[in-house]
Amino acid sequence: MNININNELLKSGFVQEKIPENINLVEEITRLKREKNAILLAHYYQKPEIQDIADFIGDSLELSRQAAKTDAAVIVFCGVHFMAETAKILSPDKVVLLPAMDAGCPLADTITGDDVKSLKRQHHGSPVVCYINSSAEVKAESDVCCTSSNAIKVVASLPDRKVIFVPDANLGNYVAKQLPDKELILWQGRCVTHAKVKPNDILQMREKYSEAKILAHPECEPAVVELADFVGSTSEIIRYAENSDAQVFIIGTEVGVLCNLRVSRPEKHFFLLHPGLVCPNMKKTGLQSIYEALVNNQYQIHVAEEVAEKAQHAITRMLKVV
Ligand code: SF4
């Protein structure tokens, strides 16, 4: 990939990984992948050098679907823990490796399976919809999963008026606005990265780039979403920017998306809505850690059978809705 996002990463204070000079990591990774019958899946928020060598790039659900249908024996999941867990739930017979063991998600970590159980007790009879950005344990206690692109459809598909929505309150608020007939009980979790964007950032960008379209992820706060020209999931933002007639876009989601867009639409101009739109956990995976994951078969993701079965039910139910 000849267009990168290093300027945005540097502005955010992000330090690039130091790669040893005596080894060609890309060549070694390619050789090991062949040797071990492994596939490399990368989320859109991964570093450019990882998106460059990935077999498939996508959002968390697209990647899990890929994981489920691949013939590979080993899946190296370049993303964060809940995503690798989802891949393991959908592909229990495959080895799923997360190269950066500590790549977690602060949003997913705001809630446990016990929290979901107690919410259910509190709001007796109400179904629980959990955003895919949650642990296997939370999915297992939920009735149905959703992603940011299908959350509205999933909630609308439930016959109940009152619905518990976990863990992202901003996404929940967005869904609630689109479905005024529903009463959503929201868990107050937030993505720390998307929550950095404030309405003033949009106002300033509008002043600077009056012709630009401003695209925001629903994990941003409601006042930001309100001011955006388009609101959508990571994949929807990419598709919108690629297909729109506009030439200038302000991207209100993680910086990794710029990498993709600047390659697919080099004639257009893309700017980040806020310099802090860098997920530190997504940037923990590097070429070195992928190489080590393949050499040492690390770090293997395990999900207890009982939890996996229940979590799979919530994911499958979502897949039937959309
Ligand atoms: S961008 Fe936000 S929701 Fe996504 S992995 Fe990072 S912290 Fe979690």
Side-chain angles (χ1 to χ4, degrees), residues 85 111-114 116 134-142 303 307 311:
E85 251 187 1
I111 187 164
T112 65
D114 283 343
V116 179
S134 56
S135 67
E137 199 190 274
V138 166
K139 289 183 178 83
E141 296 305 329
S142 302
V303 182
V307 174

Side-chain angles (χ1 to χ4, degrees), residues 30-300:
T30 311
R31 178 184 67 76
L32 285 162
K33 262 174 45 187
R34 216 178 303 123
E35 200 178 291
K36 302 203 165 194
N37 186 18
I39 186 171
L40 211 145
L41 305 181
H43 192 272
Y44 286 123
Y45 297 173
Q46 290 289 296
K47 294 179 203 166
E49 62 268 32
I50 293 169
Q51 296 197 32
D52 268 352
I53 59 162
D55 295 294
F56 189 83
I57 309 166
D59 62 20
S60 51
L61 187 69
E62 289 165 350
L63 292 174
S64 291
R65 281 196 171 127
Q66 278 296 321
K69 66 179 185 201
T70 179
D71 292 334
V74 178
I75 295 162
V76 182
F77 205 110
C78 304
V80 295
H81 191 264
F82 77 80
M83 295 175 181
E85 251 187 1
T86 309
K88 181 69 183 174
I89 292 164
L90 293 173
S91 320
D93 300 332
K94 288 170 191 153
V95 173
V96 177
L97 304 176
L98 182 69
M101 188 179 55
D102 58 344
C105 168
L107 167 64
D109 291 345
T110 61
I111 187 164
T112 65
D114 283 343
D115 291 326
V116 179
K117 281 188 205 165
S118 94
L119 274 171
K120 272 195 213 166
R121 273 196 302 273
Q122 239 175 290
H123 303 278
H124 189 64
S126 298
V128 179
V129 176
C130 78
Y131 187 27
I132 198 143
N133 297 27
S134 56
S135 67
E137 199 190 274
V138 166
K139 289 183 178 83
E141 296 305 329
S142 302
D143 295 271
V144 56
C145 245
C146 74
T147 65
S148 47
S149 55
N150 65 23
I152 297 168
K153 279 189 190 159
V154 168
V155 174
S157 75
L158 299 170
D160 314 62
R161 198 182 80 80
K162 191 169 165 182
V163 175
I164 301 167
F165 190 93
V166 302
D168 192 285
N170 287 344
L171 177 61
N173 265 309
Y174 176 66
V175 173
K177 272 227 164 92
Q178 319 301 314
L179 300 173
D181 293 343
K182 298 277 186 191
E183 182 193 345
L184 263 70
I185 311 297
L186 304 180
W187 181 260
Q188 293 300 315
R190 278 175 184 80
C191 162
V192 283
T193 300
H194 286 90
K196 284 180 189 160
V197 184
K198 299 294 167 205
N200 204 32
D201 297 315
I202 295 204
L203 300 178
Q204 280 178 1
M205 282 298 196
R206 279 223 193 279
E207 216 176 288
K208 202 165 167 193
Y209 304 100
S210 54
E211 76 282 28
K213 289 279 181 205
I214 301 188
L215 322 181
H217 195 283
E219 282 175 22
C220 294
E221 63 178 57
V224 169
V225 164
E226 196 72 32
L227 291 169
D229 296 308
F230 175 79
V231 182
S233 66
T234 305
S235 301
E236 287 169 336
I237 285 177
I238 292 174
R239 272 198 301 275
Y240 181 97
E242 284 180 343
N243 300 328
S244 161
D245 289 338
Q247 292 301 304
V248 184
F249 300 88
I250 310 297
I251 303 296
T253 190
E254 216 271 353
V255 66
V257 167
L258 292 187
C259 161
N260 208 277
L261 284 171
R262 285 177 182 168
V263 171
S264 69
R265 291 293 181 271
E267 74 286 5
K268 294 185 176 183
H269 303 279
F270 302 99
F271 302 96
L272 201 59
L273 178 52
H274 186 287
L277 278 166
V278 179
C279 173
N281 283 286
M282 282 287 186
K283 303 296 184 255
K284 282 181 179 166
T285 309
L287 291 175
Q288 179 72 27
S289 57
I290 295 172
Y291 168 71
E292 285 168 11
L294 283 161
V295 170
N296 303 323
N297 230 15
Q298 68 191 25
Y299 294 93
Q300 280 204 44

